[in-house]
Amino acid sequence: MEVINALGRRKTAIARIYVTEGNGNITINGRDYKDYFSLATLHYVVNQPLAVTESEGKYDIKVNLDGGGITGQAEALRLAISRALCKIDGEYRPALKAKGFLRRDPRMVERKKPGQPKARKRFQFSKR
């Protein structure tokens, strides 16, 4: 199997991954993913597509993560892994699609507007 690459995004986080056959190592920016993501919930989020397709321990994944916070990065990585698994084997697609792992979350931060302190908050109104 040649190297499969995929891209995942969430908010301002971007995950670029390279998947090869191996024994299940996930390396993020040169560190193990359990060191990079300290929370167990984020470990679960990263492993979700592999668990659904029953391919844990089959592939080595090298990740370049950039931007955003840790939750956005973990969800961007989940999308990238799901897309890569679909490239490897098309039979994984229905299971991943049913779980919603192939959907790019479109929610982004709303921009700040002029004359307001934040996007929707207004300065206090004074009648007199």
Side-chain angles (χ1 to χ4, degrees):
M1 176 180 120
E2 73 282 353
V3 176
I4 303 289
N5 64 326
L7 184 79
R9 290 192 183 101
R10 168 77 168 96
K11 290 187 175 181
T12 57
I14 301 171
R16 290 181 295 275
I17 70 165
Y18 305 93
V19 181
T20 56
E21 282 186 9
N23 52 8
N25 295 328
I26 301 176
T27 309
I28 302 174
N29 297 344
R31 295 162 54 189
D32 185 54
Y33 83 103
K34 291 192 177 181
D35 294 335
Y36 192 85
F37 295 123
S38 57
L39 300 175
T41 53
L42 299 179
H43 300 168
Y44 174 73
V45 167
V46 169
N47 281 318
Q48 277 180 316
L50 298 170
V52 167
T53 58
E54 297 170 359
S55 54
E56 292 171 301
K58 288 184 182 178
Y59 305 108
D60 284 344
I61 303 173
K62 184 180 175 292
V63 184
N64 290 330
L65 261 177
D66 187 41
I70 57 169
T71 304
Q73 287 184 345
E75 292 180 11
L77 180 53
R78 178 176 67 186
L79 176 61
I81 291 172
S82 300
R83 286 178 173 174
L85 289 171
C86 286
K87 283 184 184 178
I88 291 169
D89 189 356
E91 294 178 14
Y92 293 150
R93 187 173 174 81
L96 292 169
K97 193 172 171 100
K99 291 282 186 178
F101 297 155
L102 294 176
R103 179 164 161 62
R104 198 277 197 210
D105 195 334
R107 294 176 294 174
M108 298 289 284
V109 176
E110 191 173 339
R111 78 177 197 89
K112 183 197 173 298
K113 278 79 171 193
Q116 299 175 16
K118 295 199 304 191
R120 297 198 175 204
K121 188 175 182 180
R122 306 287 200 269
F123 289 118
Q124 184 171 346
F125 176 73
S126 174
K127 196 166 189 175
R128 284 177 198 85

